[in-house]
């Protein structure tokens, strides 16, 4: 029998889950999967540690499960799968920890209340992250629950990296740069010494390129600057999010096009980025496979923005020793990596084309002044590790 830690990542219409078993000193994944379409046509899928399908279920179109129904279904599935293993804690991905939560925290009614106050800072994510926490607090009050924040890794950034040049009283309300994807960056920081001890102690830019995309400047394993700011819509253009935008554009949309807050939010979060520019797809694979000039331009803009941000992040550190590519596009697209590396040749990057095509961990030549790595991220494991640490500290 092993101790089991459940990791949950609840979004607006989906719940992703993983189960880790404590075996000796390590956490091994037992299974993982997701419930999607909670409010439209729910679908459940679970895979074992080898990635083979264990279980799948589709509900009728229109048959809503909701978050509570989803948690109930998942609980029944896990009871069956866990067998004699004992569920000892649940770790949650929570997007916003605000200024107060610079590290993972054990959850109770008070912490949940504090985290709910941050909903205005992340209205599209925070309420959904909190839903299963509340359900479990009610149904299994004895079970340890831990919140792990996407913002926490960036909390120690210097004030100049965190501050908007707005009136001080607005900054004091918490309107500042927070940065996100922190669990991914923290995971990369934790394994980077195994790949490149010099990079781990030096000046590294990590490129988390997935549907959501951002970049983080890390010095000696600590975040010193990042492309995402007050919200996760800032920085790079993403699948459907616009990234960096002159705030004057928002004023124009309001004044000239008479768009209200929700319409602007929808445009900036769901209709922009690769999808908006190409008019074809938010999916990088589709765009790379397309001969349509609009698809090609969307990819070109993505690369251009990455290259500009790379200059900016290197400037924040006074130089650059290493790059790390991670997440869906970063881990799997040799073509995007090659184009980014070419654009970064002036920063001492020399790509090893064969290694890049092979997706080898090191994809820069032995002579490259800046080393370049492909390292798969593992946010779930990071959450499980934090949860285990808090569990052990309470024992
Ligand atoms: P999320 O942010 O939702 O976790 P992922 O990290 O899974 O997203 O990344 C999804 C993105 O990765 C999509 O744009 C997808 O097209 C892209 N991607 C995955 N595999 C490849 C590939 N082989 N080539 C290019 N893009 C890829």
């Amino acid at each position: 029998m092993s101790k089991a830690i459940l990791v949950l990542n609840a979004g607006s219409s989906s719940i992703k889950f993983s189960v880790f078993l404590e075996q000796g000193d390590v956490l091994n994944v037992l299974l993982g999967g997701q419930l999607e379409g909670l409010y439209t046509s729910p679908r459940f899928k679970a895979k074992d540690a080898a990635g083979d399908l264990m279980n799948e279920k589709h509900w009728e179109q229109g048959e809503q499960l909701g978050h509570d129904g989803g948690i109930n279904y998942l609980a029944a599935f896990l009871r069956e799968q866990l067998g004699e293993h004992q569920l000892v804690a649940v770790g949650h991905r929570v997007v916003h920890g605000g200024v107060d939560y610079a590290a993972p925290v054990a959850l109770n009614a008070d912490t949940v209340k504090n985290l709910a106050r941050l909903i205005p800072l992340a209205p599209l994510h925070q309420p959904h992250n909190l839903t299963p926490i509340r359900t479990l607090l009610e149904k299994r009050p004895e079970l340890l629950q831990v919140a792990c924040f996407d913002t926490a890794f960036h909390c120690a950034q210097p004030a100049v990296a965190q501050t908007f040049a707005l009136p001080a009283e607005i900054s004091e309300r918490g309107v500042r740069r927070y940065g996100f994807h922190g669990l991914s960056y923290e995971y990369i920081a934790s394994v980077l010494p195994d790949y490149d001890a010099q990079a781990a102690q030096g000046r590294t830019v990590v490129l988390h390129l997935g549907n959501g995309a951002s970049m983080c400047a890390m010095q000696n394993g600590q975040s010193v600057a990042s492309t995402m700011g007050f919200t996760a819509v800032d920085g790079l253009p993403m699948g459907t999010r616009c990234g960096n935008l002159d705030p004057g554009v928002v004023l124009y949309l309001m004044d000239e096009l008479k768009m209200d807050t929700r319409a602007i939010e929808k445009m900036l979060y769901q209709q922009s980025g690769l999808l908006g520019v190409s008019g074809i797809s938010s999916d990088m694979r589709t765009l790379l496979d397309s001969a349509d000039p609009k698809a090609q331009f969307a990819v070109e803009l993505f690369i251009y923005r990455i290259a500009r941000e790379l200059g900016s992040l290197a400037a924040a550190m006074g130089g650059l020793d290493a790059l790390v590519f991670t997440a869906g596009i970063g881990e799997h697209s040799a073509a995007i990596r090659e184009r980014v590396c070419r654009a970064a040749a002036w920063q001492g990057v020399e790509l090893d084309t064969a290694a890049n095509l092979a997706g080898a961990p090191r994809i820069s030549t032995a002579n490259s002044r800046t080393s370049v790595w492909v390292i798969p991220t593992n946010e779930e494991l990071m959450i499980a590790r934090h949860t285990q640490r808090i569990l052990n500290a309470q024992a």
Side-chain angles (χ1 to χ4, degrees):
M1 188 193 85
S2 299
K3 287 182 181 170
I5 292 174
L6 170 64
V7 172
L8 291 181
N9 179 0
S12 59
S13 66
S14 71
I15 302 173
K16 293 185 183 148
F17 61 92
S18 314
V19 175
F20 291 84
L21 295 181
E22 204 177 85
Q23 293 173 324
D25 284 345
V26 289
L27 287 167
N28 290 318
V29 71
L30 173 71
L31 58 87
Q34 57 195 43
L35 263 157
E36 288 178 314
L38 292 173
Y39 295 88
T40 49
S41 51
R43 297 175 301 284
F44 175 81
K45 204 182 246 188
K47 292 182 174 174
D48 64 17
D52 293 326
L53 190 66
M54 294 170 73
N55 196 294
E56 201 173 14
K57 179 173 160 78
H58 287 234
W59 283 258
E60 294 290 320
Q61 175 83 26
E63 193 181 334
Q64 293 196 4
L65 263 187
H67 281 84
D68 279 349
I71 287 290
N72 285 340
Y73 183 83
L74 184 58
F77 172 76
L78 291 178
R79 256 194 303 276
E80 207 170 280
Q81 296 299 323
L82 280 175
E84 60 182 15
H85 301 307
Q86 187 199 356
L87 180 66
V88 289
V90 183
H92 298 266
R93 180 181 189 169
V94 176
V95 68
H96 225 300
V99 284
D100 292 330
Y101 294 105
V105 65
L107 289 157
N108 56 36
D110 287 339
T111 41
V112 173
K113 216 183 280 172
N114 292 339
L115 295 175
R117 289 203 192 101
L118 300 172
I119 287 175
L121 300 189
L124 302 186
H125 295 98
Q126 193 86 344
H128 309 296
N129 298 158
L130 299 182
T131 302
I133 296 174
R134 288 200 179 97
T135 306
L136 286 172
L137 271 180
E138 199 184 301
K139 292 194 170 168
R140 297 283 307 273
E142 78 295 351
L143 190 61
L144 171 68
Q145 294 195 71
V146 173
C148 301
F149 305 102
D150 267 315
T151 48
F153 187 63
H154 303 293
C155 275
Q157 284 179 3
V160 283
Q162 294 181 328
T163 308
F164 291 122
L166 287 170
E169 64 270 23
I170 302 295
S171 301
E172 280 153 19
R173 291 178 65 93
V175 179
R176 41 160 261 185
R177 301 178 62 87
Y178 290 95
F180 299 87
H181 288 139
L183 292 158
S184 174
Y185 293 127
E186 189 181 10
Y187 175 78
I188 298 293
S190 77
V191 295
L192 194 53
D194 302 338
Y195 293 84
D196 185 341
Q198 228 174 325
Q201 288 166 11
R203 299 160 299 185
T204 299
V205 170
V206 183
L207 299 93
H208 178 109
L209 307 178
N211 269 320
S214 70
M215 294 160 66
C216 175
M218 288 186 342
Q219 223 161 345
N220 197 16
Q222 308 280 320
S223 169
V224 293
S226 53
T227 58
M228 279 179 171
F230 180 56
T231 66
V233 77
D234 195 13
L236 301 176
M238 306 173 218
T240 61
R241 288 174 247 168
C242 61
N244 245 350
L245 192 72
D246 176 346
V249 173
V250 175
L251 303 178
Y252 174 89
L253 296 175
M254 291 166 74
D255 281 347
E256 294 298 317
L257 302 187
K258 307 291 176 218
M259 289 173 74
D260 67 13
T261 316
R262 296 285 82 80
I264 295 173
E265 178 181 82
K266 191 170 177 199
M267 177 185 280
L268 303 187
Y269 279 87
Q270 292 167 25
Q271 301 170 332
S272 298
L274 297 174
L275 174 67
V277 175
S278 69
I280 294 171
S281 175
S282 64
D283 194 294
M284 184 56 88
R285 269 168 305 198
T286 308
L287 298 180
L288 289 171
D289 287 345
S290 169
D292 191 313
K294 291 201 294 285
Q296 292 175 15
F297 181 71
V299 177
E300 195 183 322
L301 182 55
F302 185 66
I303 304 288
Y304 173 81
R305 290 292 327 155
I306 291 173
R308 294 254 322 240
E309 293 290 352
L310 201 48
S312 165
L313 293 173
M317 297 188 289
L320 184 65
D321 300 310
L323 294 183
V324 177
F325 286 93
T326 195
I329 300 170
E331 291 168 30
H332 301 297
S333 179
I336 295 291
R337 291 195 301 258
E338 179 166 352
R339 290 172 67 172
V340 171
C341 287
R342 285 226 185 99
W346 68 279
Q347 290 169 299
V349 171
E350 197 178 288
L351 186 73
D352 178 333
T353 312
N356 182 42
L357 286 173
R362 182 174 170 130
I363 62 167
S364 51
T365 63
N367 289 331
S368 186
R369 182 161 54 78
T370 298
S371 63
V372 186
W373 300 87
V374 179
I375 304 178
T377 193
N378 197 338
E379 292 152 294
E380 294 77 18
L381 178 58
M382 203 65 235
I383 295 170
R385 283 183 189 163
H386 282 307
T387 306
Q388 182 188 41
R389 189 175 42 75
I390 290 186
L391 179 72
N392 291 342
Q394 288 195 343

